[in-house]
């Protein structure tokens, strides 16, 4: 199993197809390739986020601390990043959402809790890629 590693000095650089696995990064470094960062998607009524999960991320917000995001490729090919509040993050976890799964995130409108606090009512649905 480790024979290839010991005898091949390019072991860490060559992928399973015999290609330089750092080629894309090298092209970016010299300006031959640019990578489009995901656009930020905002929750709006009657404008659901529908697409394929590309991944998950997180960042530290100056005011709110650690924030989780979901990266989604929409039907039109646009890649967006959406903030995941606790409700959305819990929905992703309960559904065992993974890259490749289809997702629907939709703001249904404002609702009031039993104690009178107003909140955004959301719908989250994940369809597993393995179906």
């Amino acid at each position: 199993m480790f024979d290839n590693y010991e005898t091949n000095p390019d072991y860490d650089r060559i992928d399973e197809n015999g290609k330089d696995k750092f080629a894309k990064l090298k092209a970016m470094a010299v300006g031959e390739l640019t990578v489009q960062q995901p656009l930020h998607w905002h929750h709006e009524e009657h404008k659901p986020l529908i697409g394929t999960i590309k991944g998950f991320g997180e960042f530290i917000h100056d005011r709110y601390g650690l924030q989780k995001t979901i990266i989604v490729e929409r039907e039109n090919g646009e890649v967006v990043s959406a903030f995941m509040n606790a409700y959305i993050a819990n929905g992703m976890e309960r559904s065992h959402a993974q890259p490749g799964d289809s997702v629907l995130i939709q703001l249904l409108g404002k609702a009031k809790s039993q104690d009178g606090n107003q909140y955004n009512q959301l719908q989250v649905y994940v369809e597993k890629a393995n179906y």
Side-chain angles (χ1 to χ4, degrees):
M1 178 171 162
F2 295 105
D3 294 337
N4 197 18
Y5 176 77
E6 294 172 8
T7 59
N8 184 352
D10 293 328
Y11 181 79
D12 287 335
R13 246 192 49 227
I14 306 300
D15 68 13
E16 61 276 357
N17 298 319
K19 296 180 180 180
D20 183 351
K21 67 181 182 182
F22 299 114
K24 183 177 178 181
L25 297 176
K26 290 174 185 177
M28 288 172 58
V30 296
E32 293 175 356
L33 177 67
T34 58
V35 176
Q36 181 182 14
Q37 293 297 318
L39 301 171
H40 182 70
W41 181 80
H42 298 277
H43 305 287
E44 294 181 50
E45 281 186 73
H46 311 294
K47 293 185 180 180
L49 175 58
I50 298 172
T52 303
I53 299 172
K54 303 305 280 179
F56 299 93
E58 53 186 38
F59 66 95
I60 304 292
H61 188 278
D62 292 341
R63 186 173 179 187
Y64 302 110
L66 181 66
Q67 302 295 306
K68 295 182 179 185
T69 61
I70 182 171
I71 311 299
V72 176
E73 182 175 347
R74 302 179 82 173
E75 290 178 291
N76 63 5
E78 176 185 52
V79 177
V80 298
S81 174
F83 168 73
M84 290 197 305
N85 65 14
Y87 180 82
I88 295 171
N90 288 338
M92 294 297 129
E93 190 174 321
R94 277 192 313 275
S95 300
H96 304 286
Q98 297 177 342
D101 293 345
S102 298
V103 66
L104 161 69
I105 300 173
Q106 180 171 293
L107 174 61
L108 301 174
K110 299 286 184 182
K112 279 194 178 181
S113 65
Q114 291 180 349
D115 60 3
N117 292 325
Q118 195 172 28
Y119 66 94
N120 288 331
Q121 186 176 16
L122 297 161
Q123 175 184 17
V124 175
Y125 178 76
V126 175
E127 187 173 273
K128 301 301 289 176
N130 299 3
Y131 276 158

